[in-house]
Amino acid sequence: GENVEQHPSTLSVQEGDSAVIKCTYSDSASNYFPWYKQELGKGPQLIIDIRSNVGEKKDQRIAVTLNKTAKHFSLHITETQPEDSAVYFCAASRRTNAGKSTFGDGTTLTVKP
Amino acid sequence: DTAVSQTPKYLVTQMGNDKSIKCEQNLGHDTMYWYKQDSKKFLKIMFSYNNKELIINETVPNRFSPKSPDKAHLNLHINSLELGDSAVYFCASSPTGGAGEKLFFGSGTQLSVL
């Protein structure tokens, strides 16, 4: 089955700096890569996603890049703010395994004011 | 109006008891899921239902039994609770259950087994 590895497990940055979280996946058939943000006491919420036919996607301060050859994808947050502090999860799923996303183990991001 | 709502938010119980967690979604989605998040924050899928039909059943003890009375509801019943069942359980839904769909999560039920 699919295996998703996520690094780092914890990340601390100063407000205004950039943060990068990286994930690798094992199943070359995976074609959908979402990122979820989980704030304290809440459920995960999708913040951005990318499909395998695209190499990069940006939405304001967040961007995701995908390298299909190397089977890795990354989340980039620029100009971090204290409200970006949360646990971030990457995930991967493939067309033939409908509905089953494999999640990375999460990254706890702390943005210091 | 909460899209995916689950109750209760907190559940504290003794070992050996039986308990249920309820989930409802008002998004009109066909597919619902149960995920377990352990103390290290790892998220693992347990079950998924599409239009009341069981689609995914991961390696979960048979003490866990999901029930879907209709496509808007997916409840989780747990028999003979054990200490290791302590976790946060998340309900989620997606439009059709196909790959490449965003998951909508509830706010979680924190289960503590004493």
Side-chain angles (χ1 to χ4, degrees):
Chain A
E2 174 68 278
N3 182 47
V4 177
E5 293 190 1
Q6 182 171 345
H7 299 281
S9 55
T10 59
L11 180 59
S12 181
V13 300
Q14 286 295 133
E15 182 176 1
D17 287 350
S18 295
V20 180
I21 303 170
K22 299 181 179 182
C23 288
T24 60
Y25 61 98
S26 60
D27 187 348
S28 56
S30 288
N31 60 355
Y32 176 63
F33 307 93
W35 285 89
Y36 290 84
K37 175 184 180 182
Q38 184 179 16
E39 296 176 341
L40 198 61
K42 298 183 179 180
Q45 280 199 307
L46 183 83
I47 54 171
I48 195 167
D49 56 12
I50 192 167
R51 299 178 193 275
S52 58
N53 58 346
V54 175
E56 184 174 355
K57 185 176 177 181
K58 192 172 180 181
D59 182 4
Q60 298 183 342
R61 296 187 297 107
I62 59 172
V64 57
T65 58
L66 171 65
N67 183 326
K68 281 185 350 182
T69 305
K71 296 209 279 279
H72 67 68
F73 56 112
S74 301
L75 177 71
H76 304 252
I77 306 174
T78 58
E79 300 170 26
T80 53
Q81 300 166 4
E83 50 266 38
D84 294 329
S85 296
V87 181
Y88 291 81
F89 292 94
C90 63
S93 66
R94 58 186 171 99
R95 195 177 299 112
T96 55
N97 206 358
K100 183 179 174 182
S101 294
T102 300
F103 282 81
D105 289 342
T107 296
T108 300
L109 172 65
T110 303
V111 180
K112 298 176 185 175
Chain B
D1 232 8
T2 307
V4 180
S5 58
Q6 51 183 113
T7 55
K9 188 164 177 64
Y10 300 98
L11 187 51
V12 181
T13 189
Q14 300 286 332
M15 276 176 55
N17 284 352
D18 303 338
K19 290 293 177 186
S20 292
I21 307 171
K22 295 186 176 181
C23 180
E24 175 182 4
Q25 53 95 4
N26 62 6
L27 298 167
H29 289 170
D30 286 341
T31 304
M32 297 183 72
Y33 310 81
W34 279 109
Y35 278 82
K36 179 180 179 180
Q37 186 173 47
D38 63 20
S39 57
K40 294 184 179 178
K41 302 289 186 185
F42 300 157
L43 263 174
K44 302 294 181 198
I45 191 168
M46 300 173 69
F47 303 102
S48 83
Y49 270 73
N50 182 278
N51 247 323
K52 302 192 296 177
E53 181 185 345
L54 181 65
I55 301 297
I56 295 172
N57 184 350
E58 289 298 285
T59 311
V60 177
N62 57 15
R63 298 181 295 104
F64 290 78
S65 52
K67 284 187 174 50
S68 181
D70 55 61
K71 73 173 194 177
H73 296 84
L74 180 62
N75 304 322
L76 184 65
H77 188 76
I78 315 169
N79 288 328
S80 304
L81 279 155
E82 300 178 357
L83 292 176
D85 297 332
S86 295
V88 181
Y89 293 84
F90 286 100
C91 177
S93 73
S94 67
T96 67
E101 286 189 344
K102 171 181 174 180
L103 293 172
F104 293 77
F105 284 89
S107 56
T109 295
Q110 185 167 331
L111 172 63
S112 299
V113 182
L114 308 177

